[in-house]
Amino acid sequence: MIYLDNAATTAMLEGAVGVYQKYACQSFYNPSANYREAIEIAKGLQDVKLRLKQKLGASVGDVVFTSGATESNNLAIMGSKRNGKWEYVFSVGEHPSVYNVAKELELQGFKVHFVGLSPTGEVDYEMLESVVNDRTRLVSVMHVSNETGAINDIQRIVGIIKDKTQNAMVHVDGVQAFCKIPVDLDALGVDFYTISAHKFHGPKGVGALYVKNPKALKNIVFGGGQEGGLRSGTENVAGIMALDYVVENINVDENYNKVMQLKRLAAEILAEDENVDVLDVGSPYIISVGFKGVNGETLMRALQDYGIIVGMGSACSAKKSGNRILESMGYSKDAVKTRIRLSFNEFLTEQEVCEAANQIIKVYREIWEKVK
Ligand code: PMP
């Protein structure tokens, strides 16, 4: 099987499974307890936070462990919500775990601005500038698009916002960026940054929210007061330790170069067919590909029989018709339907990628012959 849906999730590293097992079966103590073994675990979690901050390039602030990116995104947005005449700004390219929170804010009566995307999938920087004002409480824009791989210029976005107001905070969903492209939060200047372990060979159900100023955030769940009161509930110790293992063992630059080669190879092979449209815009880990006259879902299903697994954009929204993200970039509803997403990882070989790309073209042509 050749798995090309790594933006949806990745396989756990064997080493991380070993670490997970250790903290699930032997060092399984509750970090909130007061005996020596438990205190050791609590200390271990603090050490993970320090290492994580270092990997994120953050010299100040804190890390809050969560159940994954969906919770981190909800916490950043709902936890920074304040009563009064505040406004919120989101890009239309956001994942549903941000976009649907934005919709909820709208329902609650807040003024919410949605900023469109450029043809290459980046946020429309001028439009963003035009909606930010002194009443802006939070701007939330993702680092790398899970749909297209487009990379937003976060430093530029923060600059635009800070030039207009000192009141606004900035949240970035970094799920498809962290451990894949270089991330330096001090340089980016953001207030909140979301990560999720299962996107970079860690376990599912564990993630974190970087918080520059914990006082600016309120908890959205109530309970025992873990994580400085910002996220009650016994920490997923085994998951956090496995996440730490992966982060400490990953070589972001080396993987980036390797995956870049793989992506170029796939893009070259696919683009040889004039009916195939390869959107290759930013991160080497993700490309969106359109196949003239053929439904992407039909192609995806046909490819399964050849042991090739591809994605249909965000797995969370894959079942919904239409696609606000690609449509905002200028694709018609019909064109959107012809697209699939290929997403890579560093363990794929050139041979596998070559084989998959050739097979995708072959299967596409077979379907095209039947339907045209
Ligand atoms: N944000 C982005 C950009 C994503 O790609 C995903 C996963 N599809 C999420 C958030 C949600 O992540 P999790 O599964 O950890 O809740």
Side-chain angles (χ1 to χ4, degrees):
M1 197 243 284
I2 305 175
Y3 178 71
L4 298 178
D5 198 21
N6 291 275
T9 197
T10 56
M12 255 177 98
L13 288 185
E14 295 280 342
V17 177
V19 171
Y20 189 99
Q21 182 161 17
K22 176 183 166 206
Y23 284 94
C25 301
Q26 288 107 47
S27 306
F28 57 86
Y29 309 99
N30 188 326
S32 295
N34 287 330
Y35 32 85
R36 212 179 311 125
E37 289 81 353
I39 292 166
E40 272 298 303
I41 301 290
K43 165 135 194 345
L45 293 183
Q46 291 309 316
D47 292 344
V48 175
K49 289 187 192 213
L50 290 179
R51 284 196 287 274
L52 209 44
K53 266 179 65 180
Q54 206 172 14
K55 290 282 172 186
L56 285 162
S59 55
V60 295
D62 212 345
V63 166
V64 177
F65 293 123
T66 65
S67 63
T70 298
E71 188 187 340
S72 296
N73 288 341
N74 273 260
L75 175 59
I77 301 163
M78 285 305 187
S80 59
K81 184 185 80 172
R82 296 292 178 272
N83 291 332
K85 280 222 160 297
W86 290 110
E87 300 181 5
Y88 293 82
V89 179
F90 299 89
S91 92
V92 296
E94 299 305 302
H95 183 269
S97 58
V98 168
Y99 190 77
N100 288 337
V101 186
K103 287 284 175 193
E104 174 60 24
L105 285 176
E106 236 178 5
L107 281 179
Q108 292 182 6
F110 289 97
K111 187 162 174 71
V112 176
H113 302 270
F114 289 101
V115 178
L117 306 177
S118 73
T120 53
E122 282 177 62
V123 64
D124 180 334
Y125 301 102
E126 270 115 60
M127 190 173 169
L128 180 98
E129 184 169 11
S130 72
V131 298
V132 172
N133 61 59
D134 254 350
R135 295 180 302 279
T136 307
R137 173 76 188 166
L138 184 81
V139 178
S140 183
V141 173
M142 71 210 312
H143 201 166
V144 173
S145 166
N146 54 296
E147 198 82 34
T148 62
I151 303 176
N152 283 314
D153 186 341
I154 301 298
Q155 218 164 351
R156 178 171 172 194
I157 290 170
V158 172
I160 290 171
I161 297 164
K162 299 291 171 197
D163 274 353
K164 297 202 88 178
T165 176
Q166 293 303 311
N167 294 333
M169 293 189 289
V170 184
H171 167 246
V172 172
D173 176 345
V175 167
Q176 302 291 348
F178 184 59
C179 283
K180 294 172 195 281
I181 67 167
V183 173
D184 181 351
L185 294 190
D186 280 350
L188 297 183
V190 304
D191 297 282
F192 307 110
Y193 196 86
T194 291
I195 66 167
S196 179
H198 75 102
K199 305 291 182 173
F200 50 85
H201 306 292
K204 293 172 183 57
V206 59
L209 180 69
Y210 164 76
V211 182
K212 194 197 260 173
N213 175 14
K215 288 202 182 77
L217 196 64
K218 279 188 186 158
N219 52 311
I220 57 170
V221 294
F222 298 82
Q226 289 91 339
E227 296 298 288
L230 286 174
R231 201 278 187 172
S232 285
T234 304
E235 294 87 345
N236 177 359
V237 176
I240 293 164
M241 292 303 183
L243 178 157
D244 178 53
Y245 173 88
V246 183
V247 173
E248 287 303 302
N249 284 283
I250 215 156
N251 187 329
V252 177
D253 294 339
E254 199 179 291
N255 293 348
Y256 183 96
N257 292 332
K258 181 167 183 216
V259 174
M260 182 64 91
Q261 287 295 111
L262 297 175
K263 182 212 66 175
R264 282 200 183 125
L265 190 61
E268 257 170 43
I269 296 171
L270 292 165
E272 272 169 24
D273 188 312
E274 59 180 21
N275 290 330
V276 176
D277 168 49
V278 180
L279 180 71
D280 176 5
V281 282
S283 167
Y285 285 83
I286 300 173
I287 51 174
S288 163
V289 191
F291 297 85
K292 189 177 158 191
V294 166
N295 190 302
E297 193 160 343
T298 310
L299 181 59
M300 183 265 283
R301 288 187 199 287
L303 286 166
Q304 288 180 119
D305 296 337
Y306 296 90
I308 295 165
I309 299 193
V310 301
M312 292 293 304
S314 169
C316 318
S317 56
K319 291 191 181 70
K320 295 206 184 107
S321 61
N323 182 317
R324 70 184 137 80
I325 299 163
L326 292 168
E327 279 173 28
S328 173
M329 292 164 63
Y331 289 91
S332 68
K333 276 196 164 58
D334 284 342
V336 167
K337 287 199 193 105
T338 69
R339 305 196 77 82
I340 62 170
R341 178 185 68 181
L342 304 184
S343 49
F344 307 96
N345 74 46
E346 65 275 26
F347 300 113
L348 286 159
T349 64
E350 289 195 0
Q351 200 191 338
E352 283 173 319
V353 169
C354 215
E355 189 188 321
N358 283 313
Q359 193 65 46
I360 291 170
I361 292 291
K362 194 163 161 265
V363 174
Y364 160 61
R365 285 180 185 158
E366 279 167 20
I367 303 173
W368 173 231
E369 282 305 318
K370 279 188 211 144
V371 297
K372 81 174 181 189

